Amino acid sequence: MRVLVAEDEEILAELVATGLRRAGFAVDTVYSGDAALAYLGLHDYDVVVLDRDLPRVHGDDVARGLVASGSRTRILMLTAAGSMEDRVAGLDLGADDYLGKPFEFPELVSRVRALRRRSARPVPPQLERHGIRLDTVRRTASRDGRELDLSPKEFTVLQLLLEADGGTVSAEELLERAWDANADPFTGAVRVCMSKLRGKLGEPALIRTVQGVGYAL
């Protein structure tokens, strides 16, 4: 659910990030290899979309460092060079998938989703609890057969609560998994999102606040 886009073409990086956010991911962007390493050291990403030809620290070296650290972050490598030798070289470095430029955006989103599923414990295509049904593939949600009009952020928060299977999810974990690095932990973003989500779920209330701990469904 959390993706780092490391691409030195800033316009392309922001276009990719915007599209991934619309698909429901929390996305950070960096434009150099050293910045990519810094962000990867600070945050727990599911997937990094990694341009191979990054400045300052080459994308190959970023991939090597990530693999050597034992990180669970999956690597989708991007490059303008699309020969078989380039693909093989990228995969040999430890990349989990490879996509040549130019690419079709729906394919990029599909590949990121597939890698995300491999980066964490398997999540069933449908999650259900207390009358809530969440389709993680089609990204639709309903309660007792009533369709819910959720924003991408609300959908992600609800998915995290359902995946916890009745357990408590802290506000810190929600921020880490559903928001990007620009989120201010003191703005009350989680509380506001939770209030809107509760309103859309309706009565009787399903999300409870566990004081000093977090939220549970």
Side-chain angles (χ1 to χ4, degrees):
M1 292 180 190
R2 189 160 188 181
V3 180
L4 177 65
V5 176
E7 165 63 59
D8 68 325
E9 297 180 40
E10 295 189 20
I11 294 176
L12 176 59
E14 294 307 323
L15 285 173
V16 169
T18 298
L20 289 173
R21 289 185 186 112
R22 288 174 179 167
F25 294 97
V27 186
D28 297 322
T29 54
V30 294
Y31 314 116
S32 64
D34 55 342
L37 288 173
Y39 270 63
L40 288 163
L42 286 172
H43 306 289
D44 183 19
Y45 292 99
D46 296 294
V47 179
V48 56
V49 179
L50 180 65
D51 180 40
R52 194 169 182 186
D53 298 315
L54 289 173
R56 294 202 286 273
V57 176
H58 197 273
D60 290 359
D61 294 321
V62 175
R64 288 191 189 98
L66 199 56
V67 171
S69 70
S71 172
R72 293 174 57 197
T73 301
R74 301 296 183 176
I75 302 170
L76 173 57
M77 189 168 279
L78 301 178
T79 183
S83 69
M84 182 186 69
E85 291 78 8
D86 288 305
R87 291 196 297 272
V88 169
L91 294 170
D92 283 347
L93 287 167
D96 298 280
D97 201 355
Y98 197 98
L99 192 58
K101 299 177 184 177
F103 51 82
E104 296 294 331
F105 193 76
E107 182 180 6
L108 173 67
V109 173
S110 179
R111 287 173 182 256
V112 169
R113 282 181 175 153
L115 289 177
R116 188 267 164 186
R117 289 193 292 270
R118 290 166 54 187
S119 72
R121 65 180 179 83
V123 175
Q126 288 199 351
L127 296 166
E128 295 186 48
R129 188 176 180 87
H130 299 314
I132 295 178
R133 175 175 292 180
L134 206 72
D135 189 320
T136 62
V137 177
R138 295 183 177 87
R139 295 191 64 79
T140 58
S142 63
R143 179 179 184 183
D144 298 326
R146 174 176 60 89
E147 293 297 317
L148 300 172
D149 183 19
L150 303 182
S151 70
K153 195 75 66 185
E154 292 159 356
F155 186 96
T156 300
V157 168
L158 183 57
Q159 180 174 337
L160 289 168
L161 291 172
L162 285 166
E163 288 179 10
D165 197 25
T168 304
V169 184
S170 70
E172 291 78 13
E173 183 178 352
L174 290 171
L175 268 176
E176 174 68 22
R177 306 307 301 158
W179 275 262
D180 60 32
N182 295 317
D184 185 342
F186 302 106
T187 60
V190 173
R191 186 174 64 255
V192 171
C193 180
M194 201 64 69
S195 175
K196 292 180 179 178
L197 180 57
R198 281 170 165 151
K200 290 183 179 182
L201 290 176
E203 298 294 335
L206 292 179
I207 300 174
R208 59 190 176 90
T209 300
V210 183
Q211 290 298 330
V213 182
Y215 302 91
L217 190 65

